[in-house]
C-alpha cells in the first residue's frame, strides 16, 4: 500500500519554510511520499534550498490560504481553493492518503468533514492531542470545536480515543478516564454523570472519573472531556509551562553562582525541554471523519512537522475507520 | 475593632500540629488573636511545645472531625459538633470574626452557608483562589462546588472577585476576564456567551474572554469560570507543576555535571519554588456568605496557615459583605 501525505504548506506561522523542511526530513528519514499543497512559487523557492532529487516530493497548487482568525464557516464558504481544502480534495480523489496541516484547527476539521464526511454513526468528530506524562504520554480529547457536548458525544470520544491509542501507540486495552472535579461517583456535573453511566456499561477499559492532575501522572492513557474544558486544559498547561520557565530563568539569571551552575546543567535542561515538548509526541489526529488528518501546532518546527507526517502515514495504514465502524 | 480568628485545628492532613504552629506564628508575628477549635487535649499537647504566655491564643473544644471524604451534607447532618461547624458557630455568636480551615472545602462552604447564611441577593456563594502569575497573582473563581452554573452565577462571581481584589489586594478597577476557549466573541459555549453579555453591561472593568494561558501571564486580575472548569484548571496546574519538577529532577540527577551545577543553583531553585507556591499568596476566601472564611490546602504548612490567619483578619476588617450588598 502506497501512502502519500498531502501537507498543507501554507497554514502555519512560518509557512511554507517549516512545512517544506519538515517534508524533506520525513522523506529522507522514513522514505515518506509527500504532496506539498499551496502556492507553487513559494514552495518551489523553499524546496530549492534542499537536495531533493531522490525524494518523493511533489507540489500541488492551491491559490488561497485560510488565516488563523478565519472562522471555519468562512473558510469553507469563501476560500474554496484554500490549501487545507485542496489537501482534503486530494484525499477524496484518492491521490493522497492523509492530510497534515499546521493551520487553523477549526477550519481543518470543517474542511475534512465537508470534503470527506463523517464515519457513519459518529455524531461529532473530535480532535485528540498528546501530552507528556511521567511515564510516556496521555491522549486528551476533545480539543476541537465541540464546546457544548452531550453524553453520547463524550462516549464516542472515549471509543475513538481508546481505538487510536490501541492501534497507533500499540497499547492493548487503553485505560480510559472521564475528566471530572473529583474521583468519587457523586462528583462531576450533569454531563459527566450521564456520560459516566454510558462508559461504565461499555466494553472499554474505563477506570471512572479522573482529575486534572491525572493528565500528567500517567494514571490513564486516554482522558475524555468536552472541547471547552479540553481547550482550557491545554492552554492552562502551555501558559503554566511558559510561566514556570520564565520565572526559573529570572531566578537563575539574578544570581551569579546560579548562572554558573546553569552552564553545568545545560544538557539536563535541554533533555527536559525535549521531554515536555508536546510536538515530540506527534500532532493531533482528527477522529471520526472518513479519512485521515493530523493537526500540528501553528508554531511547529520542522521536526514536529516531520513527526506528524510519519504519524499520518501510520494512521492511514491501520484502517481506523473500518475498525471504528465495527465498534459503533 | 478586635478581630479574633477561629482556626479549625483538626481539618488538615497534619492536624493539629500544623494549625497550632501556624497560629503561634501568626500571633507572634502580627499580634493576631486566635481560638483553636477542636480536640482540647491534642491541641493542648501541641501548644505546650511553644512559648505562648504572651500570645492571645485560646482553645475551644469540638468533639468531631470532618474527614476529607465526608460529603458536605453528611458533615452537616451527622457531625454537628465538628471543629468546622463549631468554628462557624463562634462567628455566628460574635465570639470570633472569621474562620480559617485546612479541611474539606465542600464541608467548610456548606457549614458556613448553613450557620451564617448567604449575603442577600447572592444566588451561589463561591470560593476564590490565587495563582502566581508573571507579575504577581491572579484570582480564579469559582473553585467551589458550583459545577453546573447559570450565567447569573458567573456574573455574581465576577462581582465578588473584583470586589475582593480591589479591597484586599488594593488594586483599583481590577481587570476581569471570562475564561473561554478563545478570545473572539464568537468563541465560548452557551454559558459563556450569555455571561459575556451580562458582564459587558456591568460596571466592572471587564476585558472580555480570556484563555487558559492568561491565568499565568498576568493579563487580568480576576478569571471567572464555573466550579467544574475551575477545579480542572487548578488540578491540571498542580499536576503539571509536579510533573515538571519530577522530570527536571530526573534529568539533573542522571548527569554528574548537572548535579554539580544544581548545587550552585540551589538558592535560585528555592526562590523559584517559593514564588510558585500558591500558599504564599494566601488561602482561598469564601465569597457570598454572611461572614468570613478562608480555606487552606489540606497539606498546608505552618507558614501557609499563618498567612491565611492574617488574611482572614484583613478580610474581616474590610466589611466586604456590606460593600457587596450595595453592589447587588
Amino acid at each position: 500500500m502506497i501512502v502519500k501525505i498531502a501537507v498543507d504548506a501554507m497554514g502555519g506561522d512560518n509557512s511554507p519554510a517549516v512545512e517544506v523542511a519538515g517534508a524533506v526530513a520525513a522523506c529522507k528519514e522514513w522514505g515518506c511520499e509527500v504532496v506539498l499543497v499551496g502556492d507553487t512559487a513559494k514552495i518551489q523557492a523553499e524546496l530549492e534550498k534542499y537536495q531533493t532529487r531522490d525524494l518523493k516530493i511533489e507540489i500541488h497548487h492551491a491559490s488561497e490560504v485560510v488565516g488563523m482568525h478565519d472562522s471555519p464557516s468562512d473558510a469553507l464558504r469563501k476560500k474554496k481553493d484554500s490549501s487545507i481544502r485542496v489537501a482534503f480534495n486530494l484525499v477524496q480523489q484518492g491521490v493522497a492518503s492523509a492530510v497534515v496541516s499546521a493551520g487553523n484547527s477549526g477550519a481543518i476539521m470543517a474542511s475534512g468533514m465537508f470534503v470527506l464526511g463523517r464515519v457513519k454513526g459518529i455524531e461529532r468528530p473530535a480532535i485528540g492531542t498528546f501530552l507528556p506524562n511521567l511515564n510516556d504520554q496521555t491522549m486528551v480529547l476533545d480539543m476541537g470545536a465541540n464546546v457544548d457536548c452531550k453524553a453520547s458525544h463524550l462516549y464516542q470520544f472515549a471509543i475513538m480515543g481508546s481505538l487510536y491509542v490501541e492501534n497507533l501507540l500499540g497499547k492493548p486495552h487503553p485505560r480510559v478516564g472521564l475528566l471530572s472535579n473529583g474521583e468519587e461517583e457523586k462528583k462531576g456535573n450533569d454531563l459527566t454523570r450521564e456520560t459516566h453511566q454510558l462508559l461504565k456499561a461499555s466494553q472499554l477499559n474505563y477506570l471512572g472519573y479522573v482529575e486534572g492532575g491525572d493528565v500528567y501522572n500517567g494514571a490513564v492513557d486516554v482522558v475524555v472531556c468536552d472541547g471547552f474544558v479540553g481547550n482550557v486544559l491545554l492552554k492552562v498547561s502551555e501558559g503554566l509551562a511558559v510561566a514556570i520557565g520564565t520565572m526559573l530563568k529570572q531566578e537563575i539569571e539574578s544570581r551569579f553562582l546560579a548562572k554558573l551552575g546553569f552552564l553545568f546543567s545545560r544538557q539536563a535542561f535541554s533533555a527536559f525541554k525535549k521531554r515536555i515538548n508536546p510536538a515530540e509526541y506527534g500532532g493531533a489526529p482528527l477522529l471520526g471523519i472518513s479519512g485521515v488528518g493530523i493537526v500540528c501546532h501553528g508554531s511547529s518546527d520542522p521536526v514536529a512537522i516531520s513527526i506528524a507526517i510519519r504519524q499520518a502515514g501510520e494512521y492511514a495504514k491501520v484502517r481506523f475507520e473500518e475498525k471504528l465502524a465495527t465498534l459503533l
Side-chain angles (χ1 to χ4, degrees), chain A:
Chain A
M1 179 191 182
I2 297 168
V3 173
K4 192 188 281 184
I5 313 300
V7 175
D8 162 21
M10 309 309 289
D13 299 347
N14 302 296
S15 295
V18 164
E19 285 82 355
V20 170
V24 169
C27 294
K28 265 192 187 151
E29 287 183 39
W30 303 300
C32 299
E33 282 190 46
V34 170
V35 195
L36 290 161
V37 182
D39 184 311
T40 301
K42 286 183 184 165
I43 297 171
Q44 192 61 54
E46 286 297 326
L47 262 183
E48 279 164 12
K49 297 177 183 169
Y50 304 92
Q51 176 56 264
T52 58
R53 206 178 329 153
D54 301 323
L55 304 182
K56 292 178 176 158
I57 298 189
E58 40 188 296
I59 300 173
H60 190 102
H61 188 71
S63 62
E64 291 173 304
V65 178
V66 175
M68 283 296 180
H69 293 285
D70 287 340
S71 77
S73 56
D74 276 0
L76 275 185
R77 237 191 355 256
K78 297 178 188 164
K79 295 184 174 174
K80 293 183 179 167
D81 199 42
S82 76
S83 53
I84 291 175
R85 174 92 163 256
V86 171
F88 278 109
N89 288 341
L90 293 177
V91 173
Q92 198 270 325
Q93 294 154 11
V95 175
S97 311
V99 170
V100 167
S101 174
N104 177 326
S105 62
I108 299 169
M109 176 56 101
S111 303
M113 260 176 66
F114 180 81
V115 174
L116 303 175
R118 279 174 298 177
V119 173
K120 196 163 177 267
I122 288 292
E123 296 173 39
R124 297 271 195 98
I127 302 182
T129 200
F130 300 94
L131 295 169
N133 68 42
L134 287 175
N135 309 319
D136 53 358
Q137 55 189 308
T138 309
M139 183 180 203
V140 183
L141 76 170
D142 174 47
M143 288 293 173
N146 300 302
V147 293
D148 288 298
C149 287
K150 296 179 188 167
S152 59
H153 303 154
L154 294 191
Y155 170 72
Q156 293 191 336
F157 298 166
I159 292 176
M160 296 192 288
S162 175
L163 191 65
Y164 188 95
V165 168
E166 184 157 12
N167 283 279
L168 274 299
L169 305 185
K171 292 183 191 173
H173 312 296
R175 297 159 301 162
V176 176
L178 180 61
L179 190 60
S180 182
N181 62 328
E183 292 187 354
E184 307 92 333
E185 274 205 327
K186 65 193 171 203
K187 293 279 186 172
N189 57 21
D190 294 343
L191 175 64
T192 62
R193 278 189 291 266
E194 197 183 334
T195 309
H196 181 58
Q197 297 308 322
L198 294 176
L199 287 173
K200 275 206 298 187
S202 76
Q203 302 291 317
L204 296 170
N205 182 11
Y206 174 60
L207 304 195
Y209 281 164
V210 293
E211 295 189 83
D214 295 317
V215 170
Y216 293 104
N217 65 16
V220 287
D221 303 302
V222 180
V223 169
V224 176
C225 57
D226 68 45
F228 184 91
V229 171
N231 182 283
V232 167
L233 186 167
L234 186 66
K235 298 286 177 64
V236 161
S237 299
E238 289 174 350
L240 178 58
V242 167
I244 285 179
T246 305
M247 290 185 198
L248 187 55
K249 207 172 155 208
Q250 286 171 346
E251 297 299 341
I252 287 173
E253 287 185 345
S254 68
R255 289 171 178 81
F256 174 73
L257 270 182
K259 264 199 285 194
L260 186 69
F262 178 72
L263 293 179
F264 291 116
S265 319
R266 203 175 253 172
Q267 252 199 327
F269 276 93
S270 305
F272 163 70
K273 261 194 156 166
K274 200 174 143 94
R275 193 162 154 197
I276 65 162
N277 180 7
E280 295 285 329
Y281 301 91
L286 303 187
L287 297 158
I289 65 165
S290 287
V292 170
I294 299 285
V295 181
C296 298
H297 202 286
S299 65
S300 290
D301 63 9
V303 173
I305 299 287
S306 70
I307 291 173
I309 291 172
R310 186 178 58 167
Q311 178 190 8
E314 288 165 1
Y315 189 9
K317 282 182 197 157
V318 298
R319 302 192 169 280
F320 188 85
E321 189 181 336
E322 292 169 28
K323 286 176 177 151
L324 179 56
T326 65
L327 283 179
L328 292 172

